[in-house]
Amino acid sequence: MRRPLSKSQIVCISLLWLALCYLVLTKSERIDGMTVVMLVISAALVFIPVYKSIKRNK
């Protein structure tokens, strides 16, 4: 069984994802549909394991 993520790990993961989004959104000349789709998919890949880990901690 996998070990649940600690609160500091969840915060670090969230901050790294937010920094990635900030870089993508500020460096792109225009924000089209593919950029939004990429950010939504990356959010799902990042936050689904975080959500499962939070549920396991309860």
Side-chain angles (χ1 to χ4, degrees), residues 4 6 8-9 11-12 14 24 28 32-34 36-37 41 45 47 52-55 57:
S6 69
S8 62
Q9 288 174 322
V11 169
C12 287
S14 300
V24 167
S28 61
D32 56 353
M34 268 325 270
V36 173
V37 169
I41 290 172
L45 291 174
F47 289 111
K52 287 181 180 180
S53 179
I54 290 172
K55 279 191 87 164
N57 284 340

Side-chain angles (χ1 to χ4, degrees), residues 5-50:
L5 297 171
S6 69
K7 291 182 186 201
S8 62
Q9 288 174 322
I10 291 171
V11 169
C12 287
I13 289 169
S14 300
L15 289 175
L16 286 172
W17 184 79
L18 287 171
L20 171 70
C21 289
Y22 176 77
L23 287 174
V24 167
L25 293 175
T26 57
K27 298 296 180 185
S28 61
E29 289 184 12
R30 65 177 203 161
I31 301 168
D32 56 353
M34 268 325 270
T35 305
V36 173
V37 169
M38 179 189 66
L39 291 175
V40 169
I41 290 172
S42 70
L45 291 174
V46 168
F47 289 111
I48 288 174
V50 167

